[in-house]
Amino acid sequence: MTYTPKSSPPPPTGSGLPILPAVPAQTGPPPPQALQSSPPPQEPRTPQAPRTPQSPRRTAFAEGLDQLRTAATTEPGRLRIIGALLALLVIAFGAVTAWQMTDRAAAADDVLTSSQPLTSDAADIYRSLADANTAASSGFLAGGQESAATRDRYEKDIRTAAGKLVNAAANANPDSPSTATIAELNRLLPEYKGLIERARTYNRQGFPVGGAYLRYANEKMQQQMLPAAEDLYKKENQRLEADYADARPYPWAAIALGVLALAALAWSQHRTYRRTNRVLNHGLVAATATATVVLLWLVVGHSVARAALDDSYDHGVRSLNVLHDARIASLKARGNENLTLVARGAETKKVGDRTYDAYDHDFGADIKALGAHLAAAGRLADDAPGERPVTTAVGNMKEWQKRHSAAREQDENGNYQQALDLVIGAKGATGECFDGVDANLRAALAHEETEFKHAAGDGRDALTGLPAGAAVLAVLGAAGAVLGIGRRLSEYR
């Protein structure tokens, strides 16, 4: 039986052949020839999506800024930001205060314990060298009758100068200009001492060459050693001025941060009050109190220290400098007075149309400088114990001038021995006046030194504990600010 599909067309008429039904195609294994000749099947390719350009990579700062903006849209986020800023401000205030006041406290301590003592040591080096030169010339004038006191004075001055040079070398910075000056003085001091010993030896034997050695030693002292010692004194004085300049300026950066921190804390408490109607936030109040204490301590402490340091400079350092200059001028004058008799007119100086004895001309200049320094010291003296020795020294100087004029008159008239007695004699000599000037200047220096130490010590003590105290209180204030804000945050949990 055959089945004619409904969709098949009718057979054509007139054909006697039967038509087979349509058979669907059967799948089966391909013939071997087909397997050998057909290419291997390929996997279908999936179409790739077009590449899109990558967006630029964002920085951590930009992402953090976005997170900050997002946090600022909620009250807890705003509180966290406020707490962080308050803590940062208080910590910055404490850190800057500690930093600035540490520098100022160190400078104030250097004024008292380092730079001013070194300045005094440099002045003592100059004084010791000049006094040793004066003692050597006085002993030379005495000839074979040089007194033990004169010899001991010379040796003491040399030992003092050597000891002060060792101390100055130990306290000077290796790369400072003072180090080279100290080394030069250490080199010249033995040379000078050798020349003085030769001058004494020949003088005792009665050889005139002794005077030449003494003049050569004096030339080395006047042209090399004393200028070097004066240069050392000026450099140490500049170091003292620099320490004062570092210790006295107001810490404006710390003060500005303190005011800013207090303003921020006040604003935060006002904001809290408006939002909660609570008058006090204990944490913020504690932070405000610590910041106020630090700011008041900073302003008051530094003002007291500055006033004390100013007083130590105006009534201590300035007086000390003038008195040191006066003492140096008196030593120069005494040395030139002695050398006037040693040289006996061998050294001359022409001024205009007139010719003068070189040492006597320098003596006049030194006495004039001594008078100017004593007048300045009298004006700077602010109490009776400081003014009294200066007034006495002025009287000694005037008497010195009178006796020197008498000695010069005797020397010019050919009375050398009488002139010598008026200079180095036991009574009524200019040496008594010089000793009186030197002793009174020494007393005035001791008084002003004490005044300086008291004032500078008060200035340094006013800053004691301020750097460390400011740092500790700042940490406590920052903790109070964080706890105060944390208390508000706990209300949202």
Side-chain angles (χ1 to χ4, degrees):
M1 178 177 180
T2 59
Y3 175 76
T4 303
K6 295 180 181 181
S7 60
S8 301
T13 59
S15 174
L17 293 177
I19 298 174
L20 294 176
V23 180
Q26 301 293 325
T27 61
Q33 294 82 1
L35 288 175
Q36 292 179 359
S37 60
S38 61
Q42 297 181 355
E43 295 181 358
R45 296 182 179 178
T46 57
Q48 296 183 353
R51 295 183 179 181
T52 57
Q54 294 183 354
S55 59
R57 188 174 181 179
R58 304 193 65 196
T59 62
F61 176 77
E63 293 179 357
L65 195 59
D66 285 346
Q67 293 176 2
L68 191 63
R69 289 197 189 97
T70 304
T73 58
T74 63
E75 181 61 15
R78 285 191 288 269
L79 288 174
R80 290 188 182 93
I81 294 172
I82 292 171
L85 290 177
L86 290 177
L88 182 63
L89 269 176
V90 176
I91 289 291
F93 171 44
V96 173
T97 300
W99 165 53
Q100 289 194 311
M101 298 317 298
T102 297
D103 291 343
R104 283 158 178 76
D109 185 69
D110 287 341
V111 165
L112 180 63
T113 62
S114 179
S115 53
Q116 200 284 325
L118 285 176
T119 301
S120 295
D121 284 347
D124 286 340
I125 290 171
Y126 191 106
R127 186 206 63 79
S128 299
L129 292 175
D131 193 59
N133 197 49
T134 300
S137 60
S138 298
F140 186 91
L141 287 173
Q145 291 77 34
E146 180 183 6
S147 65
T150 303
R151 178 74 180 185
D152 291 342
R153 181 173 181 172
Y154 167 80
E155 294 292 344
K156 181 181 178 181
D157 287 333
I158 292 295
R159 287 194 301 269
T160 300
K164 296 290 185 180
L165 284 172
V166 171
N167 186 50
N171 289 279
N173 295 325
D175 55 347
S176 68
S178 299
T179 304
T181 305
I182 295 169
E184 180 68 10
L185 285 171
N186 280 321
R187 182 186 66 83
L188 292 172
L189 187 59
E191 296 179 5
Y192 171 80
K193 191 174 181 182
L195 291 172
I196 291 296
E197 293 305 323
R198 288 186 181 183
R200 280 176 171 166
T201 301
Y202 288 123
N203 188 45
R204 288 170 184 169
Q205 296 175 0
F207 296 149
V209 73
Y213 272 106
L214 182 65
R215 289 195 300 272
Y216 182 47
N218 178 73
E219 182 180 345
K220 183 178 288 290
M221 176 65 74
Q222 298 291 340
Q223 296 183 7
Q224 298 183 51
M225 299 179 69
L226 290 182
E230 186 175 6
D231 181 61
L232 178 63
Y233 172 67
K234 290 180 178 179
K235 288 175 180 175
E236 294 301 333
N237 215 355
Q238 290 173 358
R239 179 179 173 183
L240 176 61
E241 297 281 348
D243 287 336
Y244 267 107
D246 291 339
R248 289 188 293 186
Y250 273 104
W252 293 115
I255 293 174
L257 276 174
V259 172
L260 183 61
L262 284 177
L265 287 167
W267 171 83
S268 177
Q269 291 177 85
H270 180 67
R271 182 180 184 275
T272 301
Y273 169 72
R274 291 185 62 186
R275 290 177 178 269
T276 63
N277 289 328
R278 295 170 185 166
V279 177
L280 297 177
N281 180 295
H282 294 165
L284 294 178
V285 169
T288 305
T290 55
T292 303
V293 169
V294 173
L295 185 59
L296 289 176
W297 191 1
L298 172 65
V299 174
V300 175
H302 187 271
S303 297
V304 172
R306 181 187 173 94
L309 289 172
D310 287 341
D311 183 63
S312 71
Y313 184 83
D314 293 335
H315 302 104
V317 173
R318 292 179 62 192
S319 296
L320 287 171
N321 289 340
V322 171
L323 290 170
H324 282 309
D325 292 339
R327 202 174 188 191
I328 288 170
S330 70
L331 289 165
K332 285 183 176 180
R334 180 59 177 173
N336 285 318
E337 184 179 46
N338 290 340
L339 287 168
T340 301
L341 296 177
V342 173
R344 298 188 182 185
E347 300 288 340
T348 59
K349 178 180 290 186
K350 191 171 184 179
V351 179
D353 296 333
R354 298 187 61 181
T355 301
Y356 299 90
D357 184 282
Y359 297 113
D360 188 53
H361 181 271
D362 291 341
F363 169 84
D366 294 332
I367 282 291
K368 184 177 180 180
L370 173 61
H373 294 317
L374 287 176
R379 290 192 297 269
L380 290 173
D382 57 345
D383 54 7
E387 185 178 359
R388 190 181 304 114
V390 175
T391 303
T392 307
V394 171
N396 292 329
M397 181 197 68
K398 292 180 179 179
E399 182 63 25
W400 185 1
Q401 289 176 301
K402 293 178 182 178
R403 295 183 184 183
H404 176 79
S405 298
R408 290 304 303 145
E409 183 179 357
Q410 292 293 335
D411 187 32
E412 290 174 356
N413 292 332
N415 301 322
Y416 179 78
Q417 188 59 46
Q418 288 82 350
L420 189 63
D421 292 340
L422 287 173
V423 173
I424 63 171
K427 291 183 179 180
T430 59
E432 292 179 351
C433 301
F434 164 72
D435 290 337
V437 170
D438 192 67
N440 282 289
L441 287 176
R442 185 166 58 248
L445 281 167
H447 173 74
E448 296 299 335
E449 187 84 20
T450 302
E451 293 291 311
F452 164 79
K453 287 181 178 179
H454 286 163
D458 292 341
R460 181 193 62 178
D461 295 342
L463 301 178
T464 301
L466 178 54
V472 172
L473 288 175
V475 172
L476 294 177
V482 172
L483 291 176
I485 297 299
R487 178 65 178 171
R488 286 279 294 116
L489 282 172
S490 65
E491 299 173 1
Y492 290 89
R493 299 191 180 104

